[in-house]
Amino acid sequence: MFKTHSAKNIGHVFISLLLTGTCFATVQTKIIINASQPGVKISPTMYGIFFEDINFGADGGLYAELVKNRGFEFPEEAVMGWSRLAAGGARGSLSIRVQEPLEQANPHYLRIEVRDPSKGFGVSNEGFRGMGLRKGQEYWFSVYARAEMETMTFKVELIAPDGRVIGEARFADVTKGWQKYQCLIVPTDTEARATLNLLGTCVGLLDVDMVSLFPADSAVSSTLMPEPVPGLRKDIVQMLADMKPGFLRFPGGCIVEGRDLGNRYQWKNTIGHINQRKTIIGRWNTEFAHRLTPDYYQSFGLGFYEYFKLSEDIGAEPMPIINCGMACQFNTAQLVPMDQLEPYVQDMLDLIEFANGPADSKWGKIRADMGHPEPFNMKMIGIGNEQWGPQYIERYKVFAGAIKAKYPDMQLIAATGSDATIFPNGHAEIEYLWEQWRQLKPEIVDEHFYRQPDWFLENVGWYDNYDRNSPKLFVGEYASQSVGVASPDNRNNLKCALYEAAFMTGLERNADLVRMTCYAPLFGHEDAWQWRPDLIWFDNLNVYGSANYYVQKLFSLNPGTNLLTTQVNDAPIFDENKKALSVSSTLDKKAGEVIIKAVNVTAEKLKANIELKGAKKVGPKGKAIILTAKNLTDENSLQEPKKIYPAEKSVSVNSPSFSYEFQPYSLTVLRLLVE
Ligand code: AHR
């Protein structure tokens, strides 16, 4: 199976013997790094994050709200997530009403009519596949309530799957007129699938809306959110922060476009007080027949303010992607007529003002009122997601023209449709778009790759021959699909992770052209995903990184400041176009270190002579961070979240020329002091 680069048969035989562990003299792999000539600057945004509300990424995921359909606003399904509860033979009735609502924008609320309270009459909320509660931690319960005539009383219970009450609160004196009632509840047990009961405890009429339960320690805040400030799931935010991402792309993905235009992402509906944000159906709700998720809606509790704030909190450049008058071309492909684009263009200009305008500008004031008077300093914006065809180009021109007229420094990101292999007439479409981009010159062009693992390994040199005069590149969505694109059988296994890592060495070697990259999608809820593979997996209590996550993290934490030219001689290859060893290297000027990233995809140790050409002194101290596992099919899971996890060890090197043995099936990051 194994071959060398060399066509000579003799080399072929020797390498094959080495890799199968037989002791014959053989051609030694050589890595030559030009250490004294730092090349192009690695973009600080080289490694970033793609966020999309898919797989319960927002509601039920990053957004820490535990009550599903808290406002009874799921379109046409106002009571989805809720069920009737009559404890101890209680009697009463439930109705959804809109008269004199809490908010005109979200008019529905629940009326609980209690005729015989017994042990309580009302409703139970199922959460997002249950609610994750931890023993001893504080949770804020809140609800807007009013009594229709008499003063009302009610209770709230947190219920374990076996029916035990693990938290409780009682409220008396609910009077006429909407008022907020809230309290802290501390569960007496940890449960991943708890539910919440809200029960009237005296005869009368009780109206309730915006029923909410949040962990008290959720991470991001905004003054317009209900007190106390709820936000994002801290453990998940930490996983993102740990990557030290260069940018955060949001809100997608196809969710930007919507299945139809009515379902598109409209950022203005996602800001301000959460009581006024309008719930819509999630576009992934019924996308895949094999993973129907009828209870997938977007409450927009996680909206554009929160995205900007999250970007800031984790030190990432915000990268919003906006709808350009086109619905998803894989779905309805609806188009806004050219003479009706103006409101869409205005939305985009207003977004820039919301992010960057002074606190006394119309949209900057809304940002300031939400708790952030300083601008978010957004520098780039994507026009459309996976758009293609002449219809895209004519719309792109309108949006780009409007932005550049007002904000000439704003960097524009243009699309190249989807992965060429999965969208209709792919390659021709992409060629057409590239012709346009060469003329229109957006600052950045976005390319997507959802391919099988072998493709990533075979195409480590994908960008080597790209035209250096073309716009810069954003590899804005990629992930190795072990079975097929979005197949429910895809796995986040070591093979996929390593082959992506090999591909990433190619991205890094082309860092003059490739300025930004990110894996997609970001999140998967173990019980509620639609698309896999995903970078980070979670359930209602836990979160873990896939092997792919640790690959991304290792690149992101070790970018270096300048590219170093790297040549690999006599590396074995297996199969026609696949190299056993892929390498890139950079210099970290601040740390005075050379950073070598090497991916060995074989089952054997691979020894290489490494020469840091031009270096006067190397080491002696250094370290190697190694990501590996026994089998290519290994993967992390809730049960074994760190089965594939980077291990660090010290290495000692005393000369610019040294040898190093790369572990089987591994990504190694070597950091060595250099002068
Ligand atoms: O990452 C999942 C989806 O794949 C994105 O929404 C879309 O842009 C791509 O087709």
Side-chain angles (χ1 to χ4, degrees), residues 339-379:
D339 60 359
Q340 291 168 35
L341 273 182
E342 198 276 332
Y344 287 72
V345 175
Q346 193 56 49
D347 270 3
M348 180 199 56
L349 295 174
D350 293 343
L351 173 63
I352 301 175
E353 186 176 292
F354 175 73
N356 292 353
D360 59 358
S361 61
K362 180 177 171 195
W363 291 97
K365 179 170 181 342
I366 295 174
R367 180 196 70 235
D369 289 349
M370 290 185 76
H372 204 284
E374 304 79 24
F376 281 117
N377 197 16
M378 152 189 164
K379 302 184 184 81

Side-chain angles (χ1 to χ4, degrees), residues 588-637:
D588 186 331
K589 276 191 174 170
K590 286 174 228 148
E593 289 177 337
V594 165
I595 304 171
I596 303 168
K597 302 185 185 84
V599 183
N600 173 12
V601 293
T602 76
E604 312 294 332
K605 288 182 179 169
L606 206 158
K607 197 168 182 179
N609 285 333
I610 303 177
E611 189 188 337
L612 299 179
K613 246 172 86 183
K616 292 189 203 99
K617 192 176 165 212
V618 177
K621 277 196 177 156
K623 68 176 174 188
I625 313 159
I626 303 162
L627 187 71
T628 184
K630 260 200 178 126
N631 307 301
L632 286 176
T633 49
D634 284 350
E635 52 187 274
N636 289 342
S637 63

Side-chain angles (χ1 to χ4, degrees), residues 50 52 54 253-254 284 385-386 418 450 477 520-521 531:
F50 164 99
E52 174 164 25
I54 183 172
C254 295
W284 297 104
N385 177 44
E386 288 184 335
S418 184
Y450 290 103
E477 292 184 34
W531 175 303

